[in-house]
Amino acid sequence: NQRPPGTLARRRSPQHIRRLMSGRFGCVGLVLAFLLICLIEWKDARHVRRGGENVRETKLPLAHRQRIIQQAAPDVAKYLPLQFDRTYDNPCFQNGSSLLCLPAYFVAGGMQCGGWDLWRRLKAHEHISDHHDPAPHWWTNHPRSTAGSFDRYLSLFSDRKTLAQVRAQPHTLLGDVSPASFAFMMAEQLRIHYQYLDAFDACASACRGRAPPAAVATRCASREYTRRNENMLHCFAEATAATAPLGFNVPAFAATVLQGAALKVVVMLRDPAVRLWIAFNMYGQYPSRYGKLAERGFEFYFGNQSAAWAACASVHGAHDCALRFEAHGPEQAGVYYHCDQIIKGMYSEYMPEWQAYIRPQRLLVLRTEDYFARPLRGVRQVWRLLTLTLALALLLALPADHCP
């Protein structure tokens, strides 16, 4: 068989490799084939691409990330860099006379993908602590919300019972099972993007004030222009300039805070269409607005949201719209819930940043469909990722299968 023009020589066919491994080439062919496969895998791993962009180029320098945290999260910055106590497998550190801990692993999502079912099985292991709130959604929630400051987050993993277990069993691991973490769209990143909201509110207030900025004074004099915040076009650019850059999201934030802790991340993803259908029926606001499923509500919902998404992506690009949909202007800000459920199913827009900050051997992706078909296999995979011992007694003690 002739190789088509333009085909790279390194892309050997399986038949060609088998010929190398037999006949006069013998062991030499086997060794060459092995080295060739290793080279291909190594080069491919270095160049995971999204729209032609090298994933490694999306990784911001550490000093740049630290500056962003100092500005956006001073409650976190005051602790950095953290010096973890190697006595424990879990990332814990001394703060004066107190021992404080953070999670060793995330079950980062996605939403409606089975992460909670996985958690209830994982905690059957004696070295998985479940004394703390496993789903605080701290990394995604507004700092002025009930999620609170970094001190509160630390307290969740440093309560009396949890610390007692960590001290008694140094192999104990703590986990954060917040499913909104994976798809870091703007509404799920208010821990950082509260700056956008604050800047937008300040801009809108100035426009409505007695002495609006000279550059927009004429527009601000219009009652129609100032009637709703979403109408104030100039505020979108001001607010965007005030928040973190597009490349700084939950993976960059968590990896910087847990620098040196070898954070491990589990991601569960299901068919995006199935996930969207579940979300539509789970959250009452969608059937309330578009009609129930029996009334073709899902059809109307999908038609409305997908059209709004396509309009944004055609102008601003898919990646920018996935991460900052409502920040692109009045048209997007006025879309019902900002296409949030459609965007949360765009897994490929979020995975590259997780890959950039979490090493391959510390990142495990499970298909929800595969997990519910063989849940014990999924649990074993996660325990291996966390380097926990696999005991038959533990597997037999796991909860019964449950597929939502």
Side-chain angles (χ1 to χ4, degrees), residues 82-143:
L82 294 171
Q83 301 296 324
F84 296 111
D85 189 336
R86 299 303 175 187
T87 304
Y88 310 105
D89 288 357
N90 194 81
C92 298
F93 63 96
Q94 292 293 147
N95 183 43
S97 60
S98 300
L99 181 67
L100 300 177
C101 295
L102 286 165
Y105 65 95
F106 287 177
V107 178
M111 297 289 286
Q112 291 84 42
C113 290
W116 196 255
D117 187 87
L118 174 63
W119 161 248
R120 74 189 186 96
R121 298 174 193 275
L122 291 179
K123 65 183 182 179
H125 199 287
E126 61 179 341
H127 290 149
I128 296 288
S129 175
D130 64 347
H131 297 302
H132 60 285
D133 176 6
H137 290 282
W138 184 87
W139 298 92
T140 58
N141 279 339
H142 198 297

Side-chain angles (χ1 to χ4, degrees), residues 82-360:
L82 294 171
Q83 301 296 324
F84 296 111
D85 189 336
R86 299 303 175 187
T87 304
Y88 310 105
D89 288 357
N90 194 81
C92 298
F93 63 96
Q94 292 293 147
N95 183 43
S97 60
S98 300
L99 181 67
L100 300 177
C101 295
L102 286 165
Y105 65 95
F106 287 177
V107 178
M111 297 289 286
Q112 291 84 42
C113 290
W116 196 255
D117 187 87
L118 174 63
W119 161 248
R120 74 189 186 96
R121 298 174 193 275
L122 291 179
K123 65 183 182 179
H125 199 287
E126 61 179 341
H127 290 149
I128 296 288
S129 175
D130 64 347
H131 297 302
H132 60 285
D133 176 6
H137 290 282
W138 184 87
W139 298 92
T140 58
N141 279 339
H142 198 297
R144 296 193 291 271
S145 70
T146 55
S149 68
F150 191 56
D151 287 330
R152 183 179 182 279
Y153 188 62
L154 285 167
S155 72
L156 295 177
F157 299 93
S158 309
D159 64 280
R160 181 178 56 82
K161 288 185 177 180
T162 299
L163 290 182
Q165 181 175 353
V166 169
R167 288 190 173 106
Q169 298 178 320
H171 297 305
T172 296
L173 298 178
L174 312 178
D176 185 324
V177 191
S178 301
S181 303
F182 172 75
F184 40 82
M185 55 181 293
M186 196 166 190
E188 301 291 5
Q189 278 217 103
L190 296 184
R191 177 65 50 180
I192 293 296
H193 291 318
Y194 76 91
Q195 298 175 108
Y196 176 94
L197 299 179
D198 289 354
F200 202 111
D201 287 344
C203 174
S205 296
C207 189
R208 293 192 180 100
R210 294 183 178 181
V216 291
T218 301
R219 281 188 283 177
C220 290
S222 166
R223 183 171 298 179
E224 180 61 26
Y225 188 75
T226 59
R227 185 172 61 87
R228 298 172 66 246
N229 279 8
E230 290 83 356
N231 295 343
M232 300 185 197
L233 185 61
H234 73 285
C235 290
F236 286 90
E238 286 191 25
T240 298
T243 195
L246 194 68
F248 186 87
N249 300 290
V250 173
F253 191 14
T256 306
V257 173
L258 288 157
Q259 180 85 5
L263 175 66
K264 296 178 180 178
V265 176
V266 180
V267 177
M268 293 185 70
L269 303 175
R270 79 188 322 152
D271 183 328
V274 175
R275 199 214 67 80
L276 182 64
W277 186 88
I278 293 172
F280 175 83
N281 289 281
M282 177 176 289
Y283 303 117
Q285 66 265 30
Y286 304 116
S288 177
R289 183 179 180 89
Y290 295 98
K292 297 180 180 179
L293 187 64
E295 300 168 357
R296 299 178 63 191
F298 183 79
E299 180 181 341
F300 295 143
Y301 163 76
F302 181 74
N304 172 273
Q305 299 279 291
S306 60
W309 163 260
C312 180
S314 65
V315 176
H316 304 289
H319 190 61
D320 281 29
C321 288
L323 269 63
R324 305 281 176 88
F325 183 88
E326 57 267 45
H328 285 298
E331 182 181 354
Q332 284 73 41
V335 175
Y336 192 67
Y337 275 82
H338 310 138
C339 296
D340 62 338
Q341 298 305 330
I342 286 182
I343 292 174
K344 287 178 182 178
M346 298 178 181
Y347 308 138
S348 63
E349 299 299 338
Y350 304 104
M351 185 60 75
E353 188 169 321
W354 288 103
Q355 291 173 308
Y357 288 98
I358 307 298
R359 294 181 180 179

Side-chain angles (χ1 to χ4, degrees), residues 65-80 138-139 143 150 191-192 194-195 248 253 257:
R65 287 179 269 142
Q66 290 172 333
R67 287 195 298 271
I68 294 171
I69 293 174
Q70 287 172 356
Q71 179 185 10
D75 58 322
V76 178
K78 69 180 182 181
Y79 284 100
L80 301 184
W138 184 87
W139 298 92
F150 191 56
R191 177 65 50 180
I192 293 296
Y194 76 91
Q195 298 175 108
F248 186 87
F253 191 14
V257 173

Side-chain angles (χ1 to χ4, degrees), residues 34-50:
F34 174 76
L35 293 175
L36 179 63
I37 293 171
C38 289
L39 177 63
I40 292 171
E41 292 295 327
W42 175 74
K43 295 188 72 174
D44 287 347
R46 291 182 63 220
H47 298 284
V48 182
R49 296 183 179 272
R50 180 192 63 225

Side-chain angles (χ1 to χ4, degrees), residues 2-23:
Q2 292 185 344
R3 189 169 63 247
T7 302
L8 297 179
R10 67 181 178 87
R11 296 293 187 183
R12 305 289 188 182
S13 68
Q15 294 83 1
H16 184 79
I17 292 176
R18 281 196 293 270
R19 285 198 297 271
L20 281 176
M21 292 189 293
S22 61

